């Protein structure tokens, strides 16, 4: 049986990413530079064989996956599935606000003075999720337990199903906080990360019911794709 590996890509840069606005369950399309970045990631992944592909049901994730598959020599033959469980956090009434507004509210809820203070401490994703839920005036935000169960079941089911079918690599497009949250669920010593790069790859191995982390925030595939593109254009 082959190893079961998940290549989890953060979607390409979007309009709201560029405008520094909160983007959870709300959605905006990839920008021109965002599409270009994912084009490079796709070129960098051309030599990696994938048994199947998954993305969240958000438009920005679907657009990212379509670009990745279009650059892969076997892209048309790779089975592709959409799973809403691996979408981004729901930020409730904070959706669409400027990032600074949300990260300005949460430190006050968590009794910190600034965003920098918040991330300089050992604050947990559970505390952040509880703060978002508390700050949400619309009562739409997910509770920590809902978030944990959704994210974990989504990625674990993908890994388990692939392992049962003989293993191999799975290409996945998800979202910044969701990916960082998953990493913390796998390894409680992982810090809270709010800075995973668009187009970065986070690689996990799944074996005998357990995940292990092999790479975090890896942009080497994007860099490789740029080199391939430069040589092709020359």
């Amino acid at each position: 049986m082959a190893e079961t590996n998940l290549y989890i890509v953060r979607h390409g840069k979007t309009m709201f990413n560029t405008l520094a606005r909160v983007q959870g369950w709300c959605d905006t399309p990839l920008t021109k530079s965002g599409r270009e970045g994912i084009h490079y990631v796709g070129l960098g992944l051309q030599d990696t064989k994938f048994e199947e592909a998954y993305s969240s049901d958000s438009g920005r994730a679907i657009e990212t996956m379509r670009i990745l598959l279009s650059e892969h020599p076997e892209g048309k033959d790779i089975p592709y599935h959409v799973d809403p469980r691996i979408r981004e956090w729901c930020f409730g009434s904070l959706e669409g606000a400027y990032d600074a507004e949300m990260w300005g509210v949460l430190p006050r809820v968590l009794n910190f003075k600034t965003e920098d203070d918040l991330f300089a401490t050992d604050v947990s994703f559970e505390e952040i999720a509880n703060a978002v839920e508390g700050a949400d005036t619309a009562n739409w935000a997910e509770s920590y337990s809902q978030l944990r169960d959704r994210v974990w079941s989504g990625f674990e089911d993908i890994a388990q199903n692939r392992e049962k079918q003989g293993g191999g690599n799975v290409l996945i497009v998800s979202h910044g906080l969701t990916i960082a949250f998953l990493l913390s669920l796998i390894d409680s010593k992982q810090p809270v990360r709010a800075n995973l790069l668009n187009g970065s790859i986070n690689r996990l191995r799944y074996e005998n019911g357990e995940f292990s982390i092999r790479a975090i925030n890896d942009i080497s595939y994007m860099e490789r794709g740029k080199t391939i593109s430069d040589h092709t254009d020359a």
Side-chain angles (χ1 to χ4, degrees):
M1 179 184 293
E3 286 187 5
T4 299
N5 295 296
L6 306 187
Y7 287 68
I8 308 174
V9 184
R10 186 188 176 199
H11 63 78
K13 193 170 188 178
T14 67
M15 182 188 300
F16 266 17
N17 291 152
T18 304
L19 296 174
R21 286 186 176 271
V22 178
Q23 186 176 225
W25 283 15
C26 68
D27 205 22
T28 61
L30 304 191
T31 61
K32 180 180 179 180
S33 65
R35 292 191 298 273
E36 184 177 54
I38 296 304
H39 163 74
Y40 292 141
V41 177
L43 290 176
L45 286 168
Q46 282 184 333
D47 295 335
T48 304
K49 179 176 175 57
F50 292 104
E51 301 299 328
E52 55 189 334
Y54 287 81
S55 79
S56 85
D57 58 343
S58 296
R60 59 193 185 274
I62 293 171
E63 186 179 2
T64 297
M65 182 59 79
R66 285 175 175 165
I67 296 172
L68 293 175
L69 292 179
S70 73
E71 297 295 347
H72 199 282
E74 300 174 356
K76 292 181 179 179
D77 299 318
I78 297 173
Y80 169 38
H81 318 275
V82 172
D83 193 327
R85 293 176 297 175
I86 62 173
R87 65 167 63 161
E88 185 59 290
W89 291 31
C90 178
F91 298 105
S93 60
L94 300 172
E95 295 269 350
Y98 283 106
D99 289 341
E101 294 177 23
M102 184 177 81
W103 294 116
V105 168
L106 298 191
R108 290 197 294 274
V109 175
L110 292 167
N111 297 317
F112 295 105
K113 292 181 179 180
T114 68
E115 177 186 345
D116 290 337
D117 290 339
L118 175 64
F119 289 108
T121 66
D122 292 329
V123 65
S124 67
F125 275 118
E126 182 171 6
E127 289 173 306
I128 293 175
N130 290 339
V132 170
E133 187 179 17
D136 170 29
T137 58
N139 296 318
W140 294 337
E142 299 169 279
S143 68
Y144 173 77
S145 60
Q146 289 174 322
L147 186 64
R148 178 196 62 212
D149 293 348
R150 168 172 71 80
V151 171
W152 185 258
S153 68
F155 286 100
E156 186 177 49
D157 282 355
I158 290 171
Q160 283 183 344
N161 290 338
R162 175 48 30 209
E163 186 178 58
K164 289 177 182 177
Q165 296 178 58
N169 299 325
V170 184
L171 180 62
I172 300 174
V173 176
S174 187
H175 306 262
L177 277 184
T178 294
I179 298 169
F181 182 42
L182 174 65
L183 296 174
S184 75
L185 293 175
I186 294 169
D187 179 4
S188 61
K189 295 180 181 178
Q190 288 293 321
V192 167
R193 301 174 189 272
N195 60 349
L196 293 180
L197 299 173
N198 293 103
S200 64
I201 292 180
N202 303 270
R203 189 159 48 86
L204 307 178
R205 182 179 178 186
Y206 186 78
E207 185 176 24
N208 299 323
E210 292 188 0
F211 285 108
S212 57
I213 299 171
R214 296 306 176 92
I216 297 175
N217 210 23
D218 181 4
I219 61 168
S220 65
Y221 292 91
M222 183 183 292
E223 295 298 331
R224 179 170 180 247
K226 288 179 181 178
T227 301
I228 293 172
S229 181
D230 289 343
H231 289 165
T232 301
D233 294 339

